[in-house]
Amino acid sequence: MKNRSNILSHSFFALLVIAPFAAGIIYALLYSFGFIGELNQEFTLQHWKNVLQSAEIFKSFFFSIYIGITSLLISVSIAFLFVMKRKINSSGWMSYFFYLPLAIPAMVAAFFTFQFLSGAGFLSRIFFQLHISNGIDDFPDLVNDTFGIGIIITHVMLALPFFILLFRNYYQSEKLETLKELSLTLGSTSSQFNLKILIPVLLNKTFAPLALYFIFILGSYEIPLLLGQQSPQMISVLVNRKLSRYNLLDIPQGYVIAILYTLLVMLLLYFFIKSKDKSHVQQA
Amino acid sequence: MFSKLNWVSRFVRVVIFSLPILLLLLLSFSLQWRFPDVLPDTFSLGNWKALLQNQNGMMVSFEISIFISIIVAFTSTALGFIMSRMIAFHSKKNLLIAFAYLPFVLSPVIFASVLNFYFISADLSGNIFGVMLAQLFITLPFALLLFVDYWDLKLKSLEDLVSTLGGNSQQSLFKVIIPISKNLLLLCFFQTFLISWFEYGLTSVIGVGKIQTLTVKVFQFISEANPYYAAVSSCLLILPPLFLLFINKKYLFNTLK
């Protein structure tokens, strides 16, 4: 019975976890090297050359990495401030409000940001009534802008409660309050405790979820789709645009970008799993 | 004085964290909200009535989303629980875990794009079963990763004890292991439900716009420049997670260790 269940588990794992990923990558590779596809006739490296020489694609990768790092840095820094000031209640009705943004899907969060920060948005209306701005055109571009401000703000809005709760959990489990009292008794200042104990301990303990969150932001789709601009686009938006265009010459390039993105994620995942193993060894 | 300041600071934080929901509610109850008005011209139940009368297919989208999410969550929780046992005691556990991470962390829209050919070939594109299968490809790895560390020597000893006392594998699973694991099973069910419920990219690629889940509907309303219906659909999208938050906060916040 157990053997049968084991064989079934192996088969399902191969069929539902490994096969889809492998099949997708094989198809993308074959398409990108010209073996399959409408306009492809024989093996070619042309699509890879086109992509690797394209400034648009490099810009897209750098833009995605920039959005990922900036969103993460801002949300982690604010979450640290919350934990340092201990402005969160672990229980009681107040704590429910910290969870609220976790209930918002990316699509809705992007829609909210657009309604709140666009030229005709809620903030612009308040600025107009307060005579700070003269109307829609006078309000700064905070969505669909060059620096991805709207995208970053939305990611921070979604990530912030997650990091606050994550850090708070580790603050309690690592007994940092006791450590703080001890360090203050031994003559250190609050800022010394924060810089030399609190931040290093929390960063070390939460490195794995932070890395995972960075990978998620890198591949985010709905938020840059609604709040991004035509160029540069984040990787997911660019790949989907290339693959769903009527220009058949764009399709192999879309698959090349998808493979490059997958390689980048696999590399990040390798470091993530390594760091996880290291922290398991440390705990043991 | 301090207590007053404390209350003001609390109020400000409450407003900031609930601002998205407040603005969406405001939009959903308005028929016209022109610039530079800070509040809508008129408040009305019209958009919500349209929802109940299934104008623009919002109610159907809600039902499709519920159906897809429940099936996907149930299947991935059940399969994930059984399959994670195999991974937990496998000699190549770390390698299998790495494989499980890949589909879960890849961008769903890119994953769907490279798989689209197979779905079209198998006639699963634009089909509700195709969308459910595609979603299972990302929710199942999540369930596996959630359960894999749960299987430890203590649980294995319990299985061995049932076996020593004359119980078979089925009895051990249904009468001992599942009852003591029900909290984690529930957590997994709700988390995979939410992954499926929030999913847009993969659903739009595999569903090719024919499977109109609520997220697809929100995007459609935004593209049609109808923020009022988009706000109503958004409120519907937020309802299940808010309900989960109300019954137990931990269903909404979980980190894979």
Side-chain angles (χ1 to χ4, degrees):
Chain A
M1 178 71 191
K2 249 178 207 166
N3 264 346
R4 210 178 66 190
S5 138
N6 238 357
I7 291 167
L8 273 177
S9 293
H10 274 95
S11 316
F12 275 122
F13 189 80
L15 204 68
L16 294 172
V17 180
I18 298 178
F21 178 76
I25 291 297
I26 288 169
Y27 183 77
L29 277 171
L30 289 176
Y31 213 116
S32 69
F33 284 118
F35 290 113
I36 49 175
E38 282 302 314
L39 296 182
N40 287 328
Q41 279 158 358
E42 57 187 6
F43 172 77
T44 175
L45 289 172
Q46 196 53 47
H47 306 307
W48 282 83
K49 277 184 194 160
N50 288 345
V51 166
L52 294 174
Q53 285 166 358
S54 157
E56 183 196 20
I57 287 107
F58 276 95
K59 271 187 197 164
S60 172
F61 271 91
F62 281 119
F63 185 64
S64 303
I65 293 168
Y66 149 76
I67 294 283
I69 291 175
T70 316
S71 309
L72 211 60
L73 269 178
I74 296 174
S75 28
V76 166
S77 309
I78 301 175
F80 270 133
L81 285 177
F82 265 89
V83 177
M84 283 171 197
K85 301 278 176 201
R86 290 196 294 132
K87 287 215 182 277
I88 28 171
N89 293 334
S90 53
S91 56
W93 62 272
M94 265 294 288
S95 66
Y96 279 91
F97 289 94
F98 285 100
Y99 284 84
L100 278 183
L102 294 176
I104 300 175
M107 171 70 74
V108 176
F111 173 57
F112 159 75
T113 305
F114 191 84
Q115 290 298 324
F116 191 71
L117 294 180
S118 66
F122 192 70
L123 199 63
S124 170
R125 290 160 196 252
I126 292 176
F127 275 35
F128 181 82
Q129 300 294 346
L130 295 173
H131 305 292
I132 298 172
S133 86
N134 293 321
I136 296 174
D137 295 334
D138 197 34
F139 192 73
D141 290 333
L142 297 176
V143 295
N144 307 118
D145 61 305
T146 321
F147 298 105
I149 295 172
I151 303 174
I152 293 169
I153 289 175
T154 315
H155 277 304
V156 169
M157 181 179 92
L158 293 179
L160 185 60
F162 175 81
F163 287 130
I164 289 176
L165 295 166
L166 185 74
F167 290 161
R168 190 206 63 190
N169 283 357
Y170 277 100
Y171 189 90
Q172 285 162 354
S173 68
E174 295 303 310
K175 297 188 172 53
L176 283 170
E177 190 58 35
T178 318
L179 272 177
K180 185 177 184 178
E181 280 166 17
L182 184 70
S183 64
L184 292 181
T185 313
L186 292 172
S188 74
T189 60
S190 269
S191 44
Q192 276 176 325
F193 167 79
N194 289 335
L195 284 174
K196 303 214 166 171
I197 298 173
L198 184 116
I199 294 177
V201 168
L202 288 182
L203 278 182
N204 187 32
K205 286 284 164 191
T206 58
F207 181 77
L210 287 177
L212 208 57
Y213 210 97
F214 174 73
I215 300 176
F216 284 134
I217 296 179
L218 203 64
S220 68
Y221 178 65
E222 295 93 329
I223 296 171
L225 182 71
L226 285 178
L227 302 173
Q229 55 171 11
Q230 276 299 312
S231 177
Q233 287 179 318
M234 279 185 77
I235 303 166
S236 297
V237 182
L238 182 70
V239 170
N240 199 37
R241 197 192 81 202
K242 293 255 179 202
L243 294 181
S244 53
R245 258 193 189 177
Y246 292 107
N247 183 0
L248 294 177
L249 287 171
D250 267 350
I251 296 177
Q253 289 189 18
Y255 285 117
V256 175
I257 306 166
I259 294 167
L260 288 174
Y261 160 76
T262 309
L263 287 175
L264 178 67
V265 168
M266 285 168 85
L267 187 75
L268 292 171
L269 200 60
Y270 172 78
F271 289 118
F272 162 73
I273 290 174
K274 276 265 168 206
S275 80
K276 226 171 67 114
D277 290 345
K278 209 173 102 185
S279 72
H280 275 256
V281 171
Q282 277 175 355
Q283 273 173 11
Chain B
M1 179 69 183
F2 267 125
S3 146
K4 231 180 197 174
L5 266 178
N6 203 10
W7 271 102
V8 170
S9 123
R10 273 184 178 198
F11 178 75
V12 169
R13 272 180 281 150
V14 165
V15 170
I16 289 174
F17 277 86
S18 46
L19 193 61
I21 295 174
L22 291 177
L23 188 68
L24 288 175
L25 277 175
L26 215 54
L27 256 174
S28 76
F29 284 111
S30 55
L31 290 176
Q32 244 185 0
W33 194 358
R34 277 178 295 207
F35 190 89
D37 300 339
V38 175
L39 287 172
D41 298 342
T42 44
F43 284 96
S44 157
L45 288 171
N47 301 321
W48 286 92
K49 273 186 191 157
L51 157 80
L52 293 174
Q53 288 159 1
N54 194 30
Q55 282 176 23
N56 290 301
M58 265 192 278
M59 209 59 200
V60 173
S61 288
F62 184 70
E63 287 160 9
I64 290 174
S65 295
I66 289 269
F67 177 74
I68 291 177
S69 300
I70 286 178
I71 301 284
V72 168
F74 181 79
T75 316
S76 39
T77 304
L79 281 176
F81 190 66
I82 307 288
M83 287 163 65
S84 60
R85 188 189 178 283
M86 175 273 288
I87 298 179
F89 301 117
H90 202 282
S91 55
K92 297 222 171 4
K93 180 183 169 185
N94 285 347
L95 183 69
L96 295 185
I97 288 179
F99 273 124
Y101 263 112
L102 271 171
F104 174 62
V105 297
L106 268 186
S107 161
V109 73
I110 294 182
F111 193 35
S113 299
V114 295
L115 280 178
N116 204 12
F117 162 77
Y118 300 101
F119 277 80
I120 294 169
S121 307
D123 209 15
L124 285 169
S125 184
N127 179 318
I128 197 161
F129 295 106
V131 170
M132 286 196 285
L133 182 67
Q135 290 193 356
L136 191 68
F137 291 161
I138 49 171
T139 51
L140 179 63
F142 175 83
L144 288 172
L145 295 168
L146 189 73
F147 286 132
V148 76
D149 286 333
Y150 178 67
W151 292 96
D152 54 7
L153 286 175
K154 200 176 136 197
L155 214 60
K156 200 166 189 302
S157 310
L158 261 176
E159 279 186 319
D160 292 341
L161 182 67
V162 176
S163 170
T164 312
L165 294 171
N168 58 31
S169 302
Q170 264 184 344
Q171 285 169 322
S172 150
L173 181 68
F174 290 105
K175 304 230 162 157
V176 180
I177 304 295
I178 289 181
I180 61 167
S181 316
K182 71 168 192 287
N183 282 342
L184 191 64
L185 284 165
L186 263 181
L187 176 77
C188 182
F189 178 83
F190 289 133
Q191 293 267 322
T192 46
F193 177 90
L194 287 182
I195 294 174
S196 164
W197 184 256
F198 286 174
E199 173 43 50
Y200 170 74
L202 186 135
T203 310
S204 65
V205 172
I206 302 294
V208 285
K210 288 183 194 166
I211 308 303
Q212 298 235 317
T213 56
L214 267 180
T215 46
V216 174
K217 209 75 190 165
V218 171
F219 187 73
Q220 185 193 317
F221 288 136
I222 295 170
S223 316
E224 289 170 358
N226 188 344
Y228 312 111
Y229 278 4
V232 175
S233 309
S234 300
C235 290
L236 281 183
L237 261 175
I238 297 171
L239 267 184
L242 279 185
F243 173 71
L244 291 181
L245 172 64
F246 179 71
I247 56 171
N248 195 338
K249 284 184 283 189
K250 78 172 183 200
Y251 291 141
L252 221 56
F253 177 73
N254 170 59
T255 54
L256 290 174
K257 292 202 173 164

